[in-house]
Amino acid sequence: MTRVHNFSPGPAALPLPVLERARDELLDYDGRGMSVMEMSHRSPEFIAIAERAEADFRELLGIGDDYYVLFLQGGPTLQFSMLPFNLTERDSVADYVHTGSWGTKAIAAARKLCRVNVAATSEDANFTYAPAPADWRLTPGAAYVHVTGNETIGGVEYHDYPSDLGAPLVADLSSTLLSRPLDVSRFGVIYAGAQKNIGPVGLTIVVIRKDLAGRARPATPDMLDYLAHAKAGSMMNTPPTYNWYLAGLVFAWLRDLGGLAVMAERNRRKAEKLYAAVDASNFYRCPVRDADRSWMNVPFTLADPALDRRFLDEAEAAGLANLKGHRSVGGMRASLYNAVPEEAVDALIDFMAAFERDAG
Ligand SMILES: *Cc1c(COP(=O)(O)O)cnc(C)c1O
């Protein structure tokens, strides 16, 4: 068996110890004679798995009792619509901070349901920076302020969040949640798809302050109502049980490693050494403003785009997979989620130096 260094933006690499444990428990979970996939979601075994996962997740992020944690489906893309269904009326204004492609989609979805004010945008600079909170032009009385914490495609990340905006701060943290400690109390709602740092695709985690659930528009289907999900313990219908179990294994892995502060140190080192290698060369270039560079997704271009194909082919041959940038921006992108070990980043940096010597 050969496992490559996997820089996929998502669905992304999973921690090897998690995969090994899932393999060991696949045919017979804890002496039950069946896989977790084959159990009722109402069984005591699965209820214990689900509760353990939620407890570990809450502990990792220090989430208080004043928040619900929901395990949902539909991806962050469904959250783009579910949010305004729950937190706005037709004539409400929601403020959106626009820093890239995912923000564009979130704004388009909200516009169908309420009024949207783009409070700040970096579109003028091709989404290569994150406008400072002091420069957000907020609407008095806004239903919420939405930010994409890390733009997965452009590699632009907010490294800090404001505390008192006057309206609940809502964040799509799909590609950054669990990469470092977070002060959850600054947020009204946080949502994240699992396929970056949490587990396999198919699960979406929503953290919502309890007073913000229960405000859905009267015509909102129950399946889109946060409070209905909270009351049903995220089991209004059959939840994605196996994904929930695998996410639980990832949380236990993080806990055993020492939690998010330890993970943050690793992630900082990984990102800093890759950006340093890019900046030190005249052959590679990262367009994102220094202060807003993502720890999770590092986009970079080659001096000559005609070499892109060769770079990707040779990287692949060297065991470095999924480095192609998003089709909307081109170039390369290395995603350095929690499950990508430091050795993978070292191998990438060595490869880049060798490629520059040969081709540059
Ligand atoms: C991956 C991602 C999404 C979309 O996830 P889906 O599962 O395709 O809905 C949304 N926002 C961000 C920030 C992402 O990284």
Side-chain angles (χ1 to χ4, degrees):
M1 179 199 68
T2 317
R3 294 208 18 110
V4 297
H5 293 309
N6 184 0
F7 298 96
S8 172
L14 285 162
L16 185 58
V18 165
L19 294 174
E20 286 170 339
R21 180 150 165 211
R23 177 195 59 196
D24 292 346
E25 295 179 340
L26 181 62
L27 300 185
D28 178 8
Y29 176 78
D30 198 26
R32 297 327 198 265
M34 64 179 82
S35 139
V36 173
M37 273 182 260
E38 303 166 290
M39 283 175 190
S40 165
H41 57 297
R42 309 282 181 200
S43 65
E45 292 84 352
F46 186 75
I47 298 289
I49 288 169
E51 286 177 351
R52 179 80 257 155
E54 179 176 337
D56 284 346
F57 178 79
R58 282 180 176 274
E59 193 187 316
L60 284 168
L61 283 160
I63 300 174
D65 285 341
D66 46 341
Y67 287 82
Y68 293 120
V69 174
L70 309 176
F71 291 77
L72 307 181
Q73 302 184 60
T77 301
L78 181 59
Q79 293 309 308
F80 296 161
S81 306
M82 198 161 158
L83 258 176
F85 259 121
N86 281 262
L87 295 186
T88 68
E89 307 289 338
R90 258 259 149 247
D91 57 359
S92 308
V93 177
D95 286 332
Y96 276 73
V97 177
H98 188 200
T99 51
S101 318
W102 291 114
T104 303
K105 293 195 170 166
I107 288 168
R111 280 206 165 114
K112 294 194 162 183
L113 293 164
C114 66
R115 288 157 59 202
V116 168
N117 169 49
V118 177
T121 178
S122 50
E123 197 167 9
D124 56 338
N126 207 15
F127 299 119
T128 50
Y129 73 100
D135 297 330
W136 298 354
R137 289 185 319 277
L138 301 176
T139 310
Y144 58 84
V145 181
H146 182 282
V147 61
T148 309
N150 181 58
E151 278 285 358
T152 318
I153 291 171
V156 173
E157 181 163 15
Y158 276 99
H159 293 279
D160 201 8
Y161 296 93
S163 42
D164 273 316
L165 291 175
L169 180 60
V170 173
D172 176 359
L173 299 188
S174 292
S175 49
T176 177
L177 192 66
L178 300 179
S179 66
R180 62 171 90 189
L182 186 74
D183 179 3
V184 171
S185 72
R186 293 192 177 188
F187 299 86
V189 185
I190 290 167
Y191 60 93
Q195 67 267 31
K196 280 69 187 237
N197 258 334
I198 295 171
V201 66
L203 180 70
T204 307
I205 297 191
V206 174
V207 181
I208 178 167
R209 218 174 61 212
K210 286 183 176 169
D211 63 291
L212 296 173
R215 300 181 181 186
R217 295 182 189 188
T220 305
D222 281 353
M223 280 300 283
L224 298 183
D225 181 341
Y226 291 126
L227 186 63
H229 282 288
K231 282 186 175 158
S234 304
M235 295 198 192
M236 207 146 53
N237 70 333
T238 317
T241 51
Y242 199 68
N243 300 54
W244 197 329
Y245 153 79
L246 288 169
L249 295 187
V250 171
F251 303 152
W253 171 74
L254 285 168
R255 190 197 57 212
D256 294 347
L257 278 172
L260 301 189
V262 171
M263 205 31 84
E265 265 323 296
R266 280 194 194 191
N267 287 331
R268 174 204 294 282
R269 272 202 312 274
K270 280 153 51 184
E272 280 180 353
K273 64 168 93 166
L274 183 50
Y275 286 117
V278 167
D279 288 344
S281 120
N282 291 323
F283 185 75
Y284 301 105
R285 198 179 156 272
C286 171
V288 181
R289 179 166 83 182
D290 263 28
D292 305 324
R293 288 178 169 184
S294 167
W295 285 7
M296 292 287 103
N297 310 96
V298 179
F300 60 92
T301 53
L302 311 192
D304 177 5
L307 290 169
D308 284 5
R309 189 69 258 162
R310 180 173 158 202
F311 180 93
L312 289 166
D313 289 345
E314 291 185 14
E316 191 86 37
L320 307 166
N322 293 318
L323 285 164
K324 192 171 167 23
H326 191 269
R327 58 195 183 311
S328 64
V329 293
M332 310 299 152
R333 171 176 46 165
S335 295
L336 310 181
Y337 300 121
N338 287 345
V340 175
E342 207 162 338
E343 302 84 77
V345 180
D346 294 336
L348 173 59
I349 291 169
D350 290 346
F351 169 80
M352 286 167 67
F355 187 84
E356 180 176 353
R357 274 194 306 274
D358 289 355

